[in-house]
Amino acid sequence: MLQGDFHTHSTYDDGKSTLAQMAAAARSLGLARLGFSGHSWCPGQEDYCIPREKIGDYLAQARALQVRYAGEMEIFVGLELDFFGERPQGLDYVIGSVHALDRNGRLYAVDESPEVTRRAVEEAFAGDWYQYTDAYFDLVAQLPEKTGCDWIGHFDLVSKFNQQDPRFDEESPRYLRRALEVLEYLAGRGMCFEVNTGAITRGYRTVPYPTLTMLRRLRELGGEIILNSDAHHVSHLCASFREAELLVKEAGFTHRNIWTRGGFQAVGLLEQ
């Protein structure tokens, strides 16, 4: 049985399937656990977030599905909480993520499109891509305090478009210096890191976040991982999990984690 998928989106935010459709698809796949994690409401990011006035509806419908599938599949009601987002009460878990950078009061999305990203670097970082990536990781470092998150979502999201539209060297010391400093800082605080396959599903990358280099360092530090699809459609659930598990095995991991009522629980790799 598939153990679980805990990073999913629905029509409440920028997903393409309803919560009910996502739950039904997860049950059909044989998932033991499913987590709902809609985008938190964020000022200036309303185009992909759950509207503030619909947060209550999202939580209520998610809880209703939790009851509906009790005994068949365990459902968790979570949220992907952006650095600039609002955290409501009554959540089972929180994924901490950075989707935008604030420069002089203006938000610049890091994952909207290659064009938007290039414009942000030119306007806000004088064309310096490494200042841009440093600024991103600076915010990621603050996620535990800012969001109270249970794990870090897509740690190196800032590289989303870099495979198809290369603008910086992901293996260069200049890029990795700040990224690995933040990774080590967060791992030292006991934070779990998400291995996220969402960019593979949507055709932006051929490998998950984080990179193999980052995963190897995380393993050396004794860090923990959780595997998620970042599904925005029923067809994305658990997508590329096999490839992701092979990657983390190459990085030296012998287990990953799933989310339970008691928190994280280690499970073996390549287990179906």
Side-chain angles (χ1 to χ4, degrees), residues 44 84 132 171 220 227 269:
F84 300 104
Y132 169 72
E171 293 300 319
E220 290 172 355
L227 179 56
L269 292 177

Side-chain angles (χ1 to χ4, degrees), residues 250-270:
E250 183 179 355
F253 286 91
T254 57
H255 71 272
R256 58 183 173 87
N257 289 277
I258 57 173
W259 186 254
T260 72
R261 294 294 165 199
F264 291 112
Q265 175 184 319
V267 296
L269 292 177
L270 305 178

Side-chain angles (χ1 to χ4, degrees), residues 12-248:
Y12 272 105
D13 51 342
D14 61 344
K16 306 302 181 185
S17 304
T18 66
L19 290 179
Q21 289 169 336
M22 294 294 280
R27 183 71 185 98
S28 295
L29 283 173
L31 262 68
R33 300 168 184 84
L34 172 68
F36 294 130
S37 59
H39 285 293
S40 62
W41 182 81
C42 301
Q45 301 179 60
E46 293 89 348
D47 55 336
Y48 67 86
C49 299
I50 302 174
R52 180 187 263 170
E53 66 273 14
K54 291 187 177 180
I55 289 288
D57 292 342
Y58 161 75
L59 295 174
Q61 185 175 355
R63 289 295 180 196
L65 288 165
Q66 189 177 56
V67 173
R68 158 69 180 81
Y69 284 93
E72 302 176 58
M73 176 178 66
E74 193 167 19
I75 289 180
F76 298 88
V77 182
L79 199 70
E80 184 178 14
L81 183 55
D82 187 82
F83 184 89
F84 300 104
E86 292 185 357
R87 177 171 180 160
Q89 298 297 313
L91 299 171
D92 294 332
Y93 66 86
V94 164
I95 305 171
S97 296
V98 172
H99 294 96
L101 304 178
D102 185 348
R103 302 295 280 187
N104 300 317
R106 178 177 175 182
L107 286 180
Y108 291 89
V110 301
D111 64 333
E112 183 175 336
S113 71
E115 295 74 23
V116 168
T117 300
R118 287 196 298 269
R119 186 164 62 249
V121 174
E122 290 300 323
E123 292 180 1
F125 298 91
D128 188 330
W129 284 82
Y130 295 107
Q131 284 189 27
Y132 169 72
T133 59
D134 282 355
Y136 168 82
F137 286 114
D138 286 345
L139 286 190
V140 174
Q142 301 173 57
L143 281 171
E145 289 83 6
K146 189 68 165 58
T147 68
C149 59
D150 295 287
W151 67 84
I152 303 295
H154 37 54
F155 175 72
D156 49 340
L157 180 67
V158 72
S159 67
K160 178 176 178 178
F161 306 116
N162 202 52
Q163 185 172 344
Q164 291 187 345
D165 184 34
R167 298 288 165 163
F168 56 90
D169 182 356
E170 293 176 51
E171 293 300 319
S172 73
R174 179 63 184 86
Y175 173 70
L176 288 172
R177 182 181 63 203
R178 188 60 178 142
L180 293 181
E181 285 176 353
V182 172
L183 183 145
E184 292 172 17
Y185 168 72
L186 293 172
R189 297 199 55 197
M191 291 304 303
C192 183
F193 288 72
E194 176 182 85
V195 178
N196 181 305
T197 63
I200 302 174
T201 307
R202 283 171 277 173
Y204 296 113
R205 294 166 60 97
T206 57
V207 292
Y209 312 101
T211 64
L212 180 58
T213 296
M214 294 177 182
L215 287 170
R216 281 176 170 157
R217 182 58 182 145
L218 183 61
R219 179 66 187 96
E220 290 172 355
L221 294 165
E224 296 290 341
I225 56 171
I226 184 170
L227 179 56
N228 287 317
S229 70
D230 202 346
H232 284 65
H233 184 268
V234 292
S235 63
H236 300 170
L237 285 165
C238 300
S240 299
F241 271 23
R242 190 77 173 177
E243 293 86 346
E245 289 206 327
L246 290 171
L247 179 69
V248 300

